Amino acid sequence: MGGYRIKAVMARRIYDSRGNPAVETDIRLEDGTLGRGMVPSGASTGKYEAIELRDGGGNLDGKNVDKALRNIRESLAPALIGMDARNQREIDGKMIGLDGTANKSRLGANAILGCSMAACRAAANYCRLPLYAYLGGALATTLPVPMVQIIGGGAHAAHAVDIQDFLVVPLGEKTFAAAYEKVVNVYIAARRLFAEQGRPLSLADEGGLWPTGFKTNEEGVSLLTEIIVRAGYQPGKDMAIALDIASSEFYDQEEGAYCLNMEKRKLSREQFIDMLCDWVDRYPIISIEDGVSEYDWEGAKMLTDRLGGRVQLVGDDLFATNVERIRRGVNEGCYNAVLIKMNQIGTISETFEAIDYARGRGYLPVVSARSGETEDATIVHLAVAANAGQLKVGSAARGERTAKWNETIRVEEELGLSGRYPGAKVFLDAGIAIFGKWEKK
Ligand code: PGA
Ligand code: ZN
């Protein structure tokens, strides 16, 4: 017996979807089983995220990962070899202890996460289970509602507009595959409309259309509403809009102001929140992420007081997939949902803890990719394993995005009659009700 112990840990440099170096880890078990983890990377990275180790210097724009690879080979591998790959918590705990810092800055969250991902893959393969079933058990069968970028902006499109993501969320349908098909129809309609308007069909970092020639940020929201109609769907009934404002990117902390650079306007916190509330009144918006800055807890509370009963308010930079920060949000009444990114916290175990903690307090978890991604589809399995209910991966185009959506299609097929696709129920159960309002129109 045996064979489940870690025999070797290998680390290599690969490249992500932006062409930046990334960490890949292979874990080989005694019986020959292999598990692999590929680590993603953000562009609009939050200040409170676990630290991704980069080498600096002139080569590869300072983004090389040799230090992280060395830490895997010299520090993590010797500690992990001999451990039972099925003991995820023990493995993650060992790495957290070895690192010894609160933000994984010594060994690097990219080094640690690569090993954490590879370990659970190896263990799942050893158990001959799909990753979602290994991580979540027999009742892990919820397919996620997709949140899909149609137009990209912010740091993912050279700040052509200030807002980062203009996304859609399908509200109906009984299966992920049917819901995603509708989203693809919206994406096709977006490309058609852009072409008709003479806009280039360039893609932003996550595969959404590049917002060429926009005069205001709001133009993205109104255009997206029009695109939904063009695709043949009723806005707010079949298809809703989600926004990732990523407002930490344009917040002036000293002045406490939001600087809409492309509009050459500077708004106070109150004015900025007024603007978002006005959009919610006029457009079929179901979800707003990082509506205020990662420093602006007071603004988060104000926004929640005004919109929390109607709209999903997601904390990405504010919470950084960190239980301590989510706890503060819960205590202070900030937002009602948490974006979940594995590399913001750095291990699989802590990612699950963040999901469990959030859900236990009535906050909706939204599992998310990064803007710099690889072919790795672990987050799909994470979303299903945790019955998270929502998945945000970027757009319908670009291979690192389709790697996730296509994997979700496969998982749904594999789950068969066991699979459950919640659709709009995810929002209705949480008391988020834009529906009544928009259905009347
Ligand atoms: P990032 O973008 O990976 O560049 O941080 C994703 C997001 O903000 O949700
Ligand atoms: Zn975000």
Side-chain angles (χ1 to χ4, degrees), residues 105-159:
S105 54
R106 199 173 80 80
L107 297 175
N110 44 354
I112 292 170
L113 181 62
C115 295
S116 185
M117 291 165 77
C120 69
R121 271 284 177 190
N125 291 342
Y126 177 83
C127 297
R128 296 179 196 280
L129 286 169
L131 186 56
Y132 64 85
Y134 169 72
L135 287 172
L139 300 179
T141 60
T142 307
L143 278 312
V145 174
M147 186 185 276
V148 187
Q149 189 194 65
I150 303 298
I151 301 166
H156 305 161
H159 301 279

Side-chain angles (χ1 to χ4, degrees), residues 23 39-42 45-55 65 67-68 71 99 101-113 320 322 342-347 370:
V23 171
V39 181
S41 175
T45 309
K47 180 146 191 315
Y48 302 99
E49 298 192 16
I51 301 296
E52 173 188 82
L53 225 50
R54 299 278 182 188
D55 297 353
V65 290
K67 281 184 195 161
N71 289 343
D99 175 79
T101 67
N103 59 2
K104 303 189 175 62
S105 54
R106 199 173 80 80
L107 297 175
N110 44 354
I112 292 170
L113 181 62
N322 184 321
M342 296 185 295
N343 78 328
Q344 278 183 329
I345 192 67
T347 63
R370 299 307 305 244

Side-chain angles (χ1 to χ4, degrees), residues 235-255:
K237 183 160 186 287
D238 307 314
M239 195 69 65
I241 290 178
L243 300 173
D244 181 358
I245 310 289
S247 58
S248 304
E249 291 281 307
F250 53 85
Y251 180 67
D252 182 331
Q253 203 186 347
E254 266 171 30
E255 292 188 37

Side-chain angles (χ1 to χ4, degrees), residues 15-322:
Y15 294 87
D16 71 18
S17 53
R18 270 191 286 256
N20 292 329
V23 171
E24 176 169 281
T25 307
D26 283 357
I27 283 186
R28 179 84 59 188
L29 305 187
E30 278 173 353
D31 76 338
T33 301
L34 176 71
R36 173 168 293 162
M38 304 159 85
V39 181
S41 175
S44 61
T45 309
K47 180 146 191 315
Y48 302 99
E49 298 192 16
I51 301 296
E52 173 188 82
L53 225 50
R54 299 278 182 188
D55 297 353
N59 188 34
L60 293 165
D61 202 21
K63 295 199 168 73
N64 208 357
V65 290
D66 280 352
K67 281 184 195 161
L69 298 179
R70 199 178 325 122
N71 289 343
I72 294 175
R73 290 178 194 127
E74 293 177 6
S75 300
L76 296 171
L80 297 181
I81 287 170
M83 289 183 82
D84 182 339
R86 299 168 301 180
N87 292 341
Q88 190 69 35
R89 233 177 243 286
E90 196 184 328
I91 288 170
D92 290 342
K94 180 87 158 241
M95 294 194 287
I96 292 165
L98 264 179
D99 175 79
T101 67
N103 59 2
K104 303 189 175 62
S105 54
R106 199 173 80 80
L107 297 175
N110 44 354
I112 292 170
L113 181 62
C115 295
S116 185
M117 291 165 77
C120 69
R121 271 284 177 190
N125 291 342
Y126 177 83
C127 297
R128 296 179 196 280
L129 286 169
L131 186 56
Y132 64 85
Y134 169 72
L135 287 172
L139 300 179
T141 60
T142 307
L143 278 312
V145 174
M147 186 185 276
V148 187
Q149 189 194 65
I150 303 298
I151 301 166
H156 305 161
H159 301 279
V161 290
D162 302 297
I163 290 178
Q164 183 179 284
D165 295 332
F166 301 87
L167 315 103
V168 293
V169 177
L171 296 179
E173 305 310 317
K174 295 201 161 43
T175 64
F176 171 83
Y180 189 68
E181 178 186 315
K182 281 193 164 177
V183 169
V184 174
N185 277 324
V186 174
Y187 188 70
I188 292 167
R191 273 204 313 239
R192 285 226 174 95
L193 188 63
F194 268 53
E196 272 173 35
Q197 293 175 337
R199 298 182 204 265
L201 297 179
S202 317
L203 301 187
D205 280 4
E206 296 193 14
L209 289 154
W210 189 286
T212 310
F214 284 33
K215 294 196 180 56
T216 61
N217 287 286
E218 187 180 338
E219 203 173 324
V221 190
S222 61
L223 199 61
L224 187 50
T225 310
E226 186 184 342
I227 289 164
I228 292 170
V229 173
R230 288 276 201 115
Y233 303 123
Q234 191 175 331
K237 183 160 186 287
D238 307 314
M239 195 69 65
I241 290 178
L243 300 173
D244 181 358
I245 310 289
S247 58
S248 304
E249 291 281 307
F250 53 85
Y251 180 67
D252 182 331
Q253 203 186 347
E254 266 171 30
E255 292 188 37
Y258 290 85
C259 308
L260 295 175
N261 296 309
M262 61 101 52
E263 298 178 21
K264 300 193 174 51
R265 290 204 291 156
K266 194 180 272 188
L267 303 184
S268 69
R269 169 198 288 143
E270 288 74 17
Q271 289 170 324
F272 191 68
I273 290 173
D274 279 345
M275 184 192 80
L276 295 177
C277 293
D278 173 51
W279 287 2
V280 168
D281 282 339
R282 291 187 295 113
Y283 299 104
I285 295 169
I286 197 169
S287 180
I288 299 177
E289 179 179 330
D290 282 350
V292 296
S293 151
E294 62 198 332
Y295 300 113
D296 193 1
W297 291 92
E298 217 176 312
K301 164 100 174 87
M302 280 173 63
L303 188 65
T304 311
D305 286 344
R306 292 190 54 187
L307 292 179
R310 300 153 72 185
V311 176
Q312 172 172 263
L313 298 171
V314 190
D316 172 7
D317 291 350
L318 188 75
F319 295 144
T321 316
N322 184 321

